[in-house]
Amino acid sequence: MTTPTQSAELLAATTLLRFATAGSVDDGKSTLVGRLLHDSKSVLTDQLEAVEHASRNRGQEAPDLALLTDGLRAEREQGITIDVAYRYFATARRRFILADTPGHVQYTRNMVTGASTAELAVVLVDARNGVVEQTRRHAAVAALLRVPHVVLAVNKMDLVDYAEPVFAAIAEEFTAYAASLGVPEITAIPISALAGDNVVEPSANMDWYGGPTVLEHLETVPVSHDLTACHARFPVQYVIRPQTAEHPDYRGYAGQIAAGVFRVGDAVTVLPSGRTTTIEGIDLLGESVNIAWAPQSVTLRLTDDIDVSRGDLIAPAADAPVTTQDVEATVCHVADEPLTVGRRVLLKHTTRTVKAIVKDIPSRLGLDDLSQHPAPGRLVANDIGRVVVRTAEPLALDAYADSRRTGSFLLIDPADGTTLSAGMAGASFAAAEEPAAADDDAEWDF
Amino acid sequence: MTTVATVHEGTDHPYALSHLDSLESEAVHIFREVAGEFEKPVILFSGGKDSILMLHLALKAFAPAPVPFALLHVDTGHNFPEVLAYRDRVVAEHGLRLHVASVQEYIDAGKLRERPDGTRNPLQTVPLTEAIQQHRFDAVFGGGRRDEEKARAKERVFSLRDEFSQWDPRRQRPELWNLYNGRHAPGEHVRVFPISNWTELDVWQYIQHEGIELPSIYFAHEREVFNRSGMWLTAGDWGGPKEHERTETRQVRYRTVGDMSCTGAVDSDATTLDAVITEIAASRLTERGATRADDKMSEAAMEDRKREGYF
């Protein structure tokens, strides 16, 4: 039962962590998620009663925590396939949004979807099997999507006698692999989701392990990077012009700051036109402020009455991105229909959607061994590959390595609006492209 | 300059946002995306806390300009009078346009038939979808939240609907980063859920933070209620109590606001926002579970949920 003290603590939690889980179906991911929800007291009485009821119906004596997420599985059995489910829980220290991604081998797009908004990814491994092909795929996707923190949860430690050498070997192999992909931070934790070891409560069975539990790590991992070091970027979403008696001359550019910090008085450039002006005022949802930062939604007012509209990008005059019509990127193809060379598409980048054509598909990535398969001709669902796209209008595009917001884009079918591919501009893996620049990790942004 | 930069544990820079600020910023971004990409959006407005929250976010998103969307209320004919009064008051106060799709009119015209169990939940879908088609709305904001139940946990922020307003979970577009794809064919529309990522507690804490006014039925008050299948229902012309059901005066409040025939009140002493939030934080029942008492009522709650979202 929740005590008054616990509820007071719950109300005090003020930061938000978005994270994703990845694991094969048999690795115990449902049990881990169920354990996290249950042991953090995020499962309420009526939900638990439903699980107990379902467990009894299956002839199980103890409540099966996997059933907390099993309703989805039952629906899948009826033919409903869902990419990602989002779950919510809170502790005294933090609120959490969990992107729960089904772990089928072929559904790379599920993890790409979950990882695109995540600041942390939990990769689950069965201690008996160690690092397998699927584990390497998960690590590669986390690295491609530039998820800042990766947790390796070595599960089912109870089935290997809680043996430290088993954990150490898996942790070492995974860490070496993920580090070679440029994953900036890797934390390995030995757990038993079924028995509850090191998920929320520290394990009495593994006194050799001195690190945090999964929840403790989730509660304390930094959720923000030093945004002052990022290139400031402001995609214009909407022009606010009240034209009312009270505000006859108000003209504000509404948007969500994608990266960095903006201050009143900053000299800024509007792209793609290249016109330069100054920030006259910043309105934070109706309130005037002197400074604003990502990811705040604000409205900028500019000194000069220049032409600015939805799709434009406002950036510091001294630090504006170069515009281009030739985009080289890594894409994950998410549609059933293949992506082919010569295909005409729409490209949605920040608030700007432009016509584009796929000029080349130089390679397809083998996620299991990171091999490059040259000139595949096309990408099918769940493929990851390099593409070269020519756009009809210039884009103010950053490298995805510099900004997950202004370096990402969608390819869309102009005929029926289907989302075809998720794109990341620039190099695929941090380490693969720049082996010498290990200190580049500090510049990762999301 | 009134913004206070807060330093949070686990991070050493001053540019952090509280979880409520993050959720607010995300929701505002979604409202503005719709304003930028669609021709004729509308906000579903029931007078419940989630739709009131949405309207508040929309007001902030476009300030100092007016909200560029109309409201659409699907009126079951069994609404709480306090909620209708609230609806009309905010519409007048903010100079909004209100469309009403009336279940009663459909029944009177013989286009819908009253159900034997008296609930009008399932009856609302037709007036809603016909209103969308008739007014050619191409984006319809709903206050659905993914924490409400398992099916909602799978809903997209931008959810494409065909010309029959159908949701096909198998054909959802993957939603990547904050790049929402709102493209749709003529006749299709997109349901948009700006507060997908909010929990019930987030909603209440934000309402408190922003000082948002709510209909009085959300706070503990004396009310004539009667017990039907374990739920405290408000007596009224809609069809209760029946002969064997006795009314009594209890101190109650509502956690959700919907049709009077199927929305249960909870016993409560919470007369203030502080007290409501303390009560919810300590509650061991979900928002939905709190208004059902047994398996029979869980079916009613399921219908109620569908009604709340229609999605």
Side-chain angles (χ1 to χ4, degrees):
Chain A
M1 288 298 290
T2 300
T3 65
T5 315
Q6 280 172 332
S7 55
E9 284 174 351
L10 190 62
L11 294 173
T14 57
T15 56
L16 183 64
L17 177 75
R18 294 170 197 246
F19 74 107
T21 55
S24 304
V25 177
D26 296 330
D27 288 344
K29 190 173 62 65
S30 298
T31 310
L32 173 63
V33 171
R35 177 63 67 184
L36 268 177
L37 296 174
H38 177 267
D39 288 6
S40 65
K41 299 184 174 59
S42 301
V43 181
L44 301 184
T45 308
D46 50 318
Q47 294 169 315
L48 199 57
E49 277 171 3
V51 166
E52 284 165 353
H53 186 71
S55 301
R56 272 198 307 277
N57 283 352
R58 293 181 173 205
Q60 295 164 311
E61 282 183 19
D64 180 356
L65 294 182
L67 293 178
L68 283 170
T69 56
D70 235 18
L72 295 169
R73 192 175 302 155
E75 285 171 26
R76 280 204 295 273
E77 282 163 5
Q78 292 164 35
I80 303 170
T81 305
I82 300 305
D83 311 35
V84 183
Y86 294 88
R87 305 185 187 288
Y88 303 82
F89 65 103
T91 68
R93 303 173 82 166
R94 190 169 268 177
R95 307 292 178 97
F96 299 96
I97 299 177
L98 161 59
D100 189 4
T101 63
H104 308 294
V105 175
Q106 70 273 30
Y107 286 162
T108 302
R109 73 174 187 193
N110 289 345
M111 192 183 163
V112 169
T113 301
S116 72
T117 52
E119 292 149 82
L120 179 145
V122 178
V123 176
L124 212 62
V125 169
D126 185 327
R128 296 169 302 176
N129 304 331
V131 174
V132 295
E133 181 186 320
Q134 181 76 331
T135 316
R136 285 193 292 272
R137 295 171 70 91
H138 291 321
V141 171
L144 268 175
L145 272 287
R146 308 207 179 229
V147 179
H149 309 278
V150 171
V151 172
L152 172 73
V154 181
N155 191 26
K156 306 194 184 182
M157 287 299 293
D158 53 317
L159 299 182
V160 295
D161 297 325
Y162 296 107
E164 180 176 15
V166 175
F167 168 73
I170 296 170
E172 189 182 334
E173 184 183 352
F174 181 86
T175 303
Y177 181 74
S180 76
L181 300 175
V183 174
E185 192 202 275
I186 302 147
T187 304
I189 304 175
I191 67 167
S192 166
L194 193 66
D197 294 286
N198 288 337
V199 177
V200 172
E201 303 294 334
S203 171
N205 297 310
M206 291 179 275
D207 50 13
W208 46 264
Y209 173 73
T213 65
V214 173
L215 185 65
E216 205 178 319
H217 184 65
L218 293 175
E219 285 179 317
T220 53
V221 73
V223 291
S224 302
H225 286 213
D226 187 355
L227 295 168
T228 52
C230 295
H231 309 286
R233 299 288 185 259
F234 184 83
V236 175
Q237 271 191 293
Y238 190 76
V239 182
I240 294 179
R241 288 177 64 216
Q243 296 179 292
T244 55
E246 200 182 343
H247 302 279
D249 302 320
Y250 187 98
R251 187 181 179 89
Y253 304 101
Q256 186 173 27
I257 298 175
V261 177
F262 286 89
R263 292 177 179 81
V264 172
D266 282 357
V268 292
T269 297
V270 180
L271 295 170
S273 75
R275 302 286 293 273
T276 294
T277 182
T278 308
I279 296 178
E280 184 181 72
I282 303 175
D283 295 327
L284 177 65
L285 306 182
E287 167 191 4
S288 188
V289 295
N290 289 327
I291 181 170
W293 58 87
Q296 288 182 323
S297 281
V298 298
T299 305
L300 301 186
R301 286 176 284 114
L302 304 178
T303 306
D304 301 299
D305 200 9
I306 58 177
D307 178 21
V308 183
S309 58
R310 175 173 169 84
D312 288 350
L313 186 89
I314 296 175
D319 183 26
V322 177
T323 60
T324 180
Q325 287 178 253
D326 295 293
V327 180
E328 290 188 43
T330 301
V331 301
C332 175
H333 192 61
V334 296
D336 292 332
E337 193 188 342
L339 187 73
T340 50
V341 175
R343 175 84 193 251
R344 289 183 184 275
V345 295
L346 294 172
L347 187 154
K348 179 165 187 179
H349 168 247
T350 67
T351 55
R352 191 175 188 82
T353 304
V354 299
K355 289 181 182 174
I357 185 164
V358 179
K359 300 294 281 188
D360 191 15
I361 303 178
S363 62
R364 185 177 63 80
L365 184 69
L367 265 189
D368 40 338
D369 59 358
L370 301 183
S371 57
Q372 296 283 351
H373 304 271
R378 57 192 228 156
L379 297 175
V380 301
N382 299 302
D383 274 356
I384 287 175
R386 297 287 295 168
V387 298
V388 179
V389 176
R390 171 80 179 174
T391 60
E393 299 166 45
L395 293 178
L397 193 77
D398 285 298
Y400 187 77
D402 290 331
S403 168
R404 288 172 81 183
R405 284 275 186 257
T406 54
S408 56
F409 61 86
L410 304 180
L411 297 183
I412 295 170
D413 185 334
D416 65 4
T418 302
T419 298
L420 298 171
S421 308
M424 293 155 279
S428 303
F429 295 104
E433 298 288 328
E434 294 174 279
D439 58 349
D440 269 7
D441 290 354
E443 291 179 17
W444 282 27
D445 165 51
F446 54 88
Chain B
M1 171 71 187
T2 50
T3 299
V4 179
T6 317
V7 177
H8 294 288
E9 61 177 41
T11 168
D12 55 1
H13 68 73
Y15 301 119
L17 291 186
S18 75
H19 78 284
L20 287 180
D21 287 337
S22 301
L23 293 172
E24 178 190 63
S25 177
E26 178 181 68
V28 164
H29 174 257
I30 292 160
F31 273 109
R32 289 167 168 178
E33 278 299 282
V34 170
E37 297 244 305
F38 291 83
E39 296 291 325
K40 199 174 179 190
V42 71
I43 300 176
L44 282 180
F45 189 83
S46 68
K49 65 181 187 308
D50 295 320
S51 54
I52 290 169
L53 173 67
M54 283 206 301
L55 178 58
H56 181 85
L57 290 163
L59 285 162
K60 291 187 82 168
F62 302 101
V67 174
F69 316 123
L71 303 184
L72 171 62
H73 182 216
V74 181
D75 185 344
T76 65
H78 291 164
N79 291 292
F80 291 92
E82 299 95 322
V83 175
L84 289 181
Y86 180 97
R87 178 196 77 183
D88 294 338
R89 205 161 61 243
V90 296
V91 164
E93 183 186 340
H94 300 294
L96 300 160
R97 276 174 305 136
L98 173 72
H99 301 281
V100 177
S102 164
V103 172
Q104 190 63 53
E105 281 177 18
Y106 274 73
I107 292 172
D108 294 344
K111 291 198 272 185
L112 283 175
R113 198 183 311 163
E114 196 90 71
R115 292 163 50 97
D117 63 6
T119 179
R120 289 184 169 180
N121 281 340
L123 303 185
Q124 296 180 92
T125 306
V126 171
L128 169 68
T129 54
E130 290 196 3
I132 292 170
Q133 297 297 329
Q134 179 199 334
H135 293 285
R136 297 175 185 271
F137 295 126
D138 54 359
V140 181
F141 289 103
R145 308 192 320 266
R146 289 176 180 145
D147 81 320
E148 287 176 277
E149 50 94 35
K150 285 175 182 172
R152 292 282 306 125
K154 294 176 285 187
E155 181 68 271
R156 297 292 184 266
V157 174
F158 273 39
S159 183
L160 183 66
R161 301 302 162 100
D162 66 14
E163 58 190 309
F164 301 101
S165 291
Q166 295 181 115
W167 180 52
D168 184 351
R170 279 162 291 194
R171 297 191 59 228
Q172 295 194 97
R173 292 171 178 162
E175 211 150 65
L176 299 136
W177 299 286
N178 65 344
L179 293 170
Y180 302 109
N181 178 357
R183 298 193 76 84
H184 59 282
E188 296 178 340
H189 71 279
V190 175
R191 298 277 169 93
V192 183
F193 304 100
I195 60 168
S196 280
N197 285 326
W198 298 52
T199 65
E200 183 190 17
L201 194 55
D202 295 329
V203 169
W204 279 104
Q205 285 194 289
Y206 187 77
I207 284 168
Q208 183 185 47
H209 182 262
E210 299 286 298
I212 300 170
E213 189 206 340
L214 291 182
S216 57
I217 67 171
Y218 278 112
F219 301 97
H221 56 289
E222 300 266 310
R223 178 174 281 268
E224 289 282 300
V225 293
F226 66 94
N227 195 297
R228 180 177 290 174
S229 303
M231 232 165 47
W232 293 114
L233 299 181
T234 292
D237 295 339
W238 57 266
K242 290 179 180 157
E243 276 181 24
H244 63 282
E245 294 166 330
R246 283 211 305 276
T247 60
E248 58 182 286
T249 304
R250 297 184 74 90
Q251 178 159 299
V252 296
R253 67 175 198 87
Y254 284 85
R255 266 176 91 171
T256 62
V257 165
D259 192 277
M260 287 172 87
S261 63
C262 51
T263 308
V266 293
D267 288 314
S268 173
D269 299 324
T271 55
T272 64
L273 269 174
D274 277 339
V276 168
I277 289 169
T278 304
E279 190 177 283
I280 288 168
S283 172
R284 299 309 297 157
L285 290 176
T286 61
E287 185 174 346
R288 190 168 60 79
T291 56
R292 68 177 180 192
D294 56 25
D295 288 342
K296 184 162 180 281
M297 290 320 296
S298 81
E299 287 174 17
M302 176 77 80
E303 290 172 354
D304 187 43
R305 203 173 58 253
K306 283 181 178 173
R307 184 204 58 71
E308 279 183 350
Y310 315 96
F311 326 120

